[in-house]
């Protein structure tokens, strides 16, 4: 009897959980449309960091979300190659890379071997700033629409603006018809591109004339709290930080420089200051474009890039990352205060997420007794080619790695009369046998779905685009990374430290407070915002509306 009752209670609880998961968000019909959607991204913020310092948060920064908003604590990316561009392309389209076409930050054209950058478009240039051939200047490679595109089609008065320290962080959320502005490491300015406009509006020129980045020349990034507050994080100056080291306080700019230059403007990205600048530029955009001022809803997407640079350089476990998060928290509080004053608390909804999480550095995993390390891409390619040559008698059948996939030489296979599927399967077997690789699947398997249920298969299919991706997709084993000259830790795996990111929402008219523990996906954000804005979900969306109103 007891077990039966337990079972009944359990089923009731499960049913309730299922209902909560399917409860529709507050729609525009119930609550009215917000005048402004403030969409915030913290680049490279794993979910675990959001709760690690909860006792040290300001009263109204992240705490506004955690205490007075909706907090989805088990939110994940549903695909395997969790990198910046892929994440930013998913957030407001509700679609994963197999549909967006943004499979990585960069990849190689499978036919020509040419480098492709996610937001590269040589037909457009930065306004008033130098442009390199692979710089990000337009959403040309994004194959699907965003919720902002749907909104602007419904009412062209609606404005959609993307702002970020990184071009891809601004361009991809701005979609096909929004406007993107990004931080320029050559000048410390924010610039748009000729894809969007022939010249900057007056408010952008006025902002840049203020030379705001220069205020931080030789400024010191100091820890926000007394030393004891950081006992839970890894102390500064770890030997594995590399020759540049890493400790607070940190002076902005190369000591020998006597005036701000590109090295200084780049260094600001690895500090709280580029994020301060992004939020200042966002305030200028609100005033300059009159965002949230009329009854046609606007979207302001702001991707704060600094945390990702900090975590690549010193890791998410470091004191520097801990302190960077606390700085973000205080920035957020000040930004909320200004939004409350300019837009009005009842007129905007704020949503925050991240484009991916972060792995612990291999040194930290090893100290915890885990198998972890770094895999050389070129050596792996060499081992695959050695095996393929032994078996098929042709050298270099595997040409290169591209966006977590291996690309085979079709021309060579044709010349030697080799079957594509046979060679691909042999290459897959070599990759799958590598201790640092968790899974590998061939083009045919990914195309046909023949390995349904196999480890990471569904997530890897969602990262794989048949027109753009390579011939054998692979995913790294947990706690492994590819060798890198610039990063001591990274992201890009299907493991929870990379896929589990915050989804936080605040806006009393549309969001009821409380933690939501059910598993949800980042693809769910776009259809949710579409419902809040009273428009159709973006056409390629594969998400389900989040329960902003429940449980
Ligand atoms: Zn990122």
């Amino acid at each position: 009897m007891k077990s039966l009752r337990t079972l009944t209670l359990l089923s009731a609880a499960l049913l309730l959980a299922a209902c909560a998961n399917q409860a529709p968000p507050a729609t525009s019909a119930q609550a009215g449309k917000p005048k402004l959607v403030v969409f915030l991204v913290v680049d490279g913020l794993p979910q675990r960091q959001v709760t690690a310092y909860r006792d040290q948060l300001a009263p109204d920064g992240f705490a506004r979300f955690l205490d007075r908003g909706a907090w989805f604590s088990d939110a994940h990316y549903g695909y395997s190659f969790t990198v910046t561009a892929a994440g930013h392309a998913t957030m407001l389209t509700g679609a994963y890379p197999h549909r967006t076409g943004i499979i990585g930050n960069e990849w190689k054209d499978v036919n020509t071997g040419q480098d492709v950058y996610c937001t590269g478009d040589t037909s457009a240039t930065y306004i008033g700033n130098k442009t390199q051939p692979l710089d990000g200047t337009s959403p040309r490679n994004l194959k699907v629409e965003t919720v902002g595109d749907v909104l602007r089609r419904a009412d062209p008065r609606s404005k959609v603006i993307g702002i970020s320290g990184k071009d891809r962080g601004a361009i991809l959320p701005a979609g096909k018809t929004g406007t993107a502005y990004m931080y320029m490491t050559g000048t410390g300015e924010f610039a748009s591109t000729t894809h969007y406009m022939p010249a900057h509006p007056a408010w952008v020129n006025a902002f840049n004339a203020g030379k705001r980045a220069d205020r931080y020349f030789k400024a010191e990034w100091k820890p926000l709290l007394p030393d004891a507050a950081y006992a839970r994080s890894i102390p500064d100056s770890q030997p594995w930080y590399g020759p540049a080291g890493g400790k607070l306080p940190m002076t902005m700019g190369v000591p020998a420089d006597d005036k701000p230059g590109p090295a200084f403007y780049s260094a600001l990205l690895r500090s709280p200051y580029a994020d301060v600048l992004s939020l200042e530029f966002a305030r200028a955009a609100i005033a300059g474009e009159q965002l949230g001022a009329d009854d046609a809803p606007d979207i302001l997407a702001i991707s704060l890039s600094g945390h990702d640079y900090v975590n690549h350089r010193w890791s998410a476990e470091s004191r520097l990352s801990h302190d960077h998060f606390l700085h973000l928290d205080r920035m957020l509080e000040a930004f909320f205060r200004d939004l409350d004053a300019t837009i009005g608390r009842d007129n905007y909804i704020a949503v925050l997420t991240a484009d991916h999480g972060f792995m612990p550095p291999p040194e930290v995993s090893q100290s915890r007794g885990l198998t972890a390390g770094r895999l050389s891409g070129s050596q792996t390619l060499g081992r695959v080619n050695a095996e393929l040559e032994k078996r098929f008698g042709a050298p270099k059948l595997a040409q290169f790695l591209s966006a977590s996939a291996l690309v085979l030489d079709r021309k060579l296979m044709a010349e030697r009369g080799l079957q594509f599927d046979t060679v691909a399967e042999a290459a897959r077997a070599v990759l799958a046998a590598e201790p640092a690789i968790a899974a590998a699947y061939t083009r045919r398997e990914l195309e046909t779905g023949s390995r349904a249920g196999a480890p990471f298969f569904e997530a890897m299919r969602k990262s794989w685009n048949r027109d753009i991706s390579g011939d054998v997709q692979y995913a790294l084993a947990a706690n492994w990374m590819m060798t890198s000259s610039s990063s001591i830790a990274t992201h890009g795996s299907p493991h929870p430290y990379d896929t589990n990111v915050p989804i936080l929402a605040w806006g009393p008219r549309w969001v009821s407070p409380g933690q939501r523990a059910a598993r949800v996906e980042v693809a769910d954000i776009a259809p949710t915002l579409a419902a809040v804005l009273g428009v159709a979900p973006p056409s390629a969306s594969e998400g389900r509306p989040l329960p902003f109103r429940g449980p």
Side-chain angles (χ1 to χ4, degrees):
M1 186 63 199
K2 189 184 169 206
S3 65
L4 188 64
R5 189 182 301 141
T6 312
L7 257 181
T8 313
L9 280 173
L10 193 67
S11 346
L14 280 173
L15 190 68
L16 267 176
C19 289
N21 204 24
Q22 280 157 15
T27 59
S28 57
Q30 291 160 339
K33 295 177 191 180
K35 290 185 169 180
L36 180 64
V37 173
V38 179
F39 187 73
L40 294 151
V41 183
V42 178
D43 200 312
L45 177 65
Q47 166 59 36
R48 66 183 186 277
Q49 281 198 287
V50 176
T51 42
Y53 327 114
R54 204 167 165 182
D55 54 315
Q56 298 174 343
L57 297 178
D60 203 21
F62 277 95
R64 180 180 288 205
F65 289 120
L66 295 171
D67 298 341
R68 294 178 292 288
W71 165 37
F72 297 87
S73 54
D74 198 22
H76 291 262
Y77 281 91
Y79 58 81
S80 56
F81 191 45
T82 41
V83 296
T84 298
H88 281 88
T90 288
M91 293 164 187
L92 293 180
T93 63
Y96 288 142
H98 64 143
R99 294 182 180 180
T100 64
I102 305 297
I103 57 171
N105 292 335
E106 63 274 307
W107 56 89
K108 284 179 186 290
D109 185 302
V110 289
N111 299 309
T112 64
Q114 295 254 320
D115 290 322
V116 180
Y117 181 65
C118 57
T119 45
D121 179 352
T122 50
S123 71
T125 56
Y126 294 131
I127 296 169
N129 281 268
K130 286 196 189 112
T131 313
Q132 304 297 328
L134 284 173
D135 279 342
T137 53
S138 97
R140 186 175 65 174
N141 293 326
L142 178 65
K143 292 176 183 290
V144 300
E145 66 184 10
T146 60
V147 64
D149 293 328
V150 180
L151 184 68
R152 279 174 55 75
R153 201 162 56 234
D155 188 343
R157 293 178 305 155
S158 287
K159 291 183 173 177
V160 175
I161 293 190
I163 294 167
S164 178
K166 296 181 182 177
D167 61 76
R168 52 194 185 270
I171 290 170
L172 296 167
K176 293 292 191 189
T177 62
T179 303
Y181 293 97
M182 40 248 140
Y183 178 72
M184 299 282 108
T185 52
T187 59
E189 296 179 355
F190 281 82
S192 190
T193 80
T194 54
H195 168 81
Y196 298 100
M197 60 187 79
H200 284 150
W203 67 265
V204 175
N205 290 332
F207 183 92
N208 286 332
K211 290 271 168 208
R212 291 173 185 236
D214 293 3
R215 281 178 301 172
Y216 301 110
F217 188 59
K218 308 282 181 183
E220 275 206 326
W221 170 12
K222 292 187 194 114
L224 209 56
L225 300 178
D227 278 355
Y230 301 94
R232 68 192 76 171
S233 305
I234 291 174
D236 293 349
S237 302
Q238 293 297 318
W240 37 272
Y241 285 176
K247 66 177 195 308
L248 297 180
M250 184 185 295
T251 306
M252 295 292 112
V254 181
D257 288 354
D258 60 355
K259 62 178 195 311
F264 159 70
Y265 295 126
S266 297
L268 290 186
L269 284 168
R270 297 185 299 272
S271 82
Y273 303 121
D275 295 337
V276 172
L277 291 168
S278 291
L279 288 169
E280 285 184 357
F281 190 78
R283 290 173 173 95
I286 289 171
E289 298 289 342
Q290 289 290 291
L291 300 180
D294 62 16
D295 61 352
D298 302 318
I299 297 178
L300 176 60
I302 308 154
S303 178
L304 302 172
S305 308
H307 204 65
D308 180 74
Y309 286 99
V310 167
N311 285 352
H312 275 294
R313 184 66 72 100
W314 301 294
S315 87
E317 279 64 31
S318 68
R319 177 168 96 120
L320 289 107
S321 181
H322 178 168
D323 188 63
H324 190 269
F325 181 83
L326 297 180
H327 277 278
L328 281 172
D329 179 53
R330 275 56 170 181
M331 275 178 231
L332 205 55
E333 185 175 56
F335 191 54
F336 279 147
R337 195 166 51 226
D338 288 349
L339 290 171
D340 291 353
T342 55
I343 311 294
R345 285 173 69 91
D346 285 333
N347 294 328
Y348 75 96
I349 181 171
V351 175
L352 185 147
T353 190
D355 54 344
H356 51 76
F358 243 89
M359 72 186 298
E363 288 78 4
V364 170
S365 294
Q366 286 160 1
S367 76
R368 292 169 178 168
L370 298 166
T371 304
R374 295 181 175 84
L375 178 70
S376 156
S378 58
Q379 288 174 16
T380 306
L381 194 64
R383 287 194 288 275
V384 172
N385 273 324
E387 269 305 304
L388 295 182
E389 184 167 1
K390 221 186 281 174
R391 178 142 170 218
F392 301 107
K396 295 195 174 164
L397 281 162
Q399 294 189 94
F400 45 77
L401 302 179
S402 170
S404 209
L406 181 145
V407 179
L408 296 170
D409 189 336
R410 284 158 192 254
K411 198 161 150 257
L412 182 58
M413 283 187 278
E415 280 168 17
R416 302 294 180 103
L418 297 169
Q419 287 292 316
F420 176 87
D421 287 337
T422 312
V423 178
E425 170 51 29
R428 185 206 63 76
V430 180
L431 284 179
E434 291 271 338
I437 289 181
Y441 299 106
T442 63
R443 172 172 289 274
R444 176 162 299 273
E445 290 170 332
L446 294 159
E447 245 167 18
T448 60
S450 62
R451 300 293 304 279
F456 305 110
F457 184 68
E458 293 309 325
M460 288 168 71
R461 277 191 100 188
K462 288 179 185 147
S463 262
W464 187 82
N465 182 291
R466 73 175 62 205
D467 300 324
I468 306 167
S469 295
D471 302 315
V472 184
Q473 188 87 11
Y474 60 86
L476 290 175
N479 304 310
W480 282 79
M481 63 182 281
M482 286 292 188
T483 319
S484 162
S485 55
S486 55
S487 301
I488 61 150
T490 191
H491 47 83
S493 83
H495 307 297
Y497 52 71
D498 280 342
T499 61
N500 188 195
V501 293
I503 296 180
L504 305 168
W506 175 88
R509 281 168 63 195
W510 304 276
V511 180
S512 65
Q515 181 179 356
R516 319 288 203 268
R519 186 188 161 106
V520 296
E521 297 208 0
V522 177
D524 299 340
I525 294 173
T528 312
L529 288 177
V532 167
L533 290 164
V535 296
S539 56
S541 167
E542 54 198 292
R544 302 190 314 169
L546 295 163
F548 273 11
R549 282 292 207 193

